[in-house]
Amino acid sequence: MMGNLAAWKKGVIDGIPIGLGYLSVSFSFGIIAATAGLHIIEAVMMSATNFTSAGQFAGVTLIASSALLMEMALTQFIINSRYFLMSAALSQKMDPKTSMVHRIIMAFGITDEVFGVSVAVKGKLNPYYTYGVMSVALPGWTLGTFLGAYSGDLLPPSIVSALSIALYGMLLAVILPPAKGNNILSALIIISMVGSWLFSQVPYLQNISSGVKIILLTFIIAGIAAALFPVKGEARNG
């Protein structure tokens, strides 16, 4: 495992595309937050302390509709519950001697994209690598929120909508490179996409929240894959 400084620098480099993507996506969030009546400072503080796209978009929607605090708390818990699984997966890549302080800081900065690049690191995960990614991703998310809340009304709706699509492109950039040359992983990605599509089309499944949907698909698909294609101990750490 590389030294702390080298790991942090590598994380910063790998985090630049994520930071740029967050800058554009959070721009849209800043506009929505301002439209919902939040002050610029309130919108920026929400991004700096929450750091979750789906949770923040849902939160602003609930704020605009004057939802109850309990309703908001429950919604956030369900939407962000997928991070339990991500944190558990990352804990398996870390040195067991890693202090609780490092684990707590990493847990705060885990997003879909930060998790994607961190879990793809070969060998044991140095917390400073994730810190490097967070060093670029979090400022990008916060700055985009500020710019959107401050000047979003100056842009036409078509541009704002285009900026929001950047999140999906960023997710593809995270999952596609590891899938090259790996038939099993490629098949699992396709199955996951089909499963997600089915959840959006089947009548009863449509009512399930995105957070619960992700957890169900993760447990089912990952569980079956782990049973059919177990990873040897050396390969898991490699």
Side-chain angles (χ1 to χ4, degrees):
M1 186 167 63
M2 66 179 70
N4 294 340
L5 181 58
W8 181 83
K9 290 181 178 179
K10 181 66 167 56
V12 169
I13 295 175
D14 292 348
I16 290 177
I18 296 177
L20 293 175
Y22 280 179
L23 183 68
S24 61
V25 175
S26 61
F27 193 98
S28 299
F29 169 74
I31 296 174
I32 295 175
T35 303
L38 270 67
H39 189 274
I40 295 178
I41 296 179
E42 294 173 332
V44 171
M45 287 301 297
M46 179 181 287
S47 288
T49 56
N50 286 269
F51 199 30
T52 166
S53 58
Q56 288 182 222
F57 278 104
V60 167
T61 301
L62 292 173
I63 290 174
S65 62
S66 301
L68 298 175
L69 291 178
M70 182 58 68
E71 180 182 356
M72 187 177 301
L74 181 60
T75 301
Q76 293 301 313
F77 178 81
I78 294 175
I79 290 177
N80 296 318
S81 54
R82 67 187 185 279
Y83 296 126
F84 292 142
L85 302 178
M86 297 181 189
S87 297
L90 284 184
S91 69
Q92 303 304 305
K93 287 188 62 68
M94 298 169 60
D95 189 323
K97 297 180 180 179
T98 303
S99 69
M100 183 59 66
V101 174
H102 284 303
R103 295 175 185 271
I104 291 175
I105 296 175
M106 290 177 65
F108 166 75
I110 293 302
T111 63
D112 297 351
E113 294 74 26
V114 175
F115 166 78
V117 296
S118 296
V119 80
V121 171
K122 294 185 179 299
K124 290 295 183 181
L125 175 63
N126 187 327
Y128 284 86
Y129 173 84
T130 304
Y131 295 164
V133 180
M134 292 166 54
S135 298
V136 183
L138 182 56
W141 182 256
T142 306
L143 177 60
T145 300
F146 170 78
L147 294 176
Y150 183 77
S151 59
D153 292 338
L154 302 178
L155 296 177
S158 58
I159 299 298
V160 175
S161 177
L163 290 173
S164 301
I165 299 177
L167 179 63
Y168 301 99
M170 189 165 43
L171 288 172
L172 290 175
V174 170
I175 64 176
L176 290 182
K180 292 182 178 179
N182 190 326
N183 294 331
I184 295 177
L185 184 56
S186 299
L188 291 176
I189 291 175
I190 295 175
I191 293 173
S192 299
M193 291 180 176
V194 173
S196 180
W197 177 79
L198 288 176
F199 267 78
S200 66
Q201 299 298 318
V202 179
Y204 291 105
L205 297 180
Q206 288 178 333
N207 298 326
I208 299 177
S209 68
S210 59
V212 174
K213 176 179 65 177
I214 291 175
I215 288 180
L216 289 176
L217 289 174
T218 300
F219 269 117
I220 295 173
I221 297 175
I224 295 175
L228 297 178
F229 311 103
V231 179
K232 303 300 182 181
E234 293 182 0
R236 187 183 295 115
N237 295 328

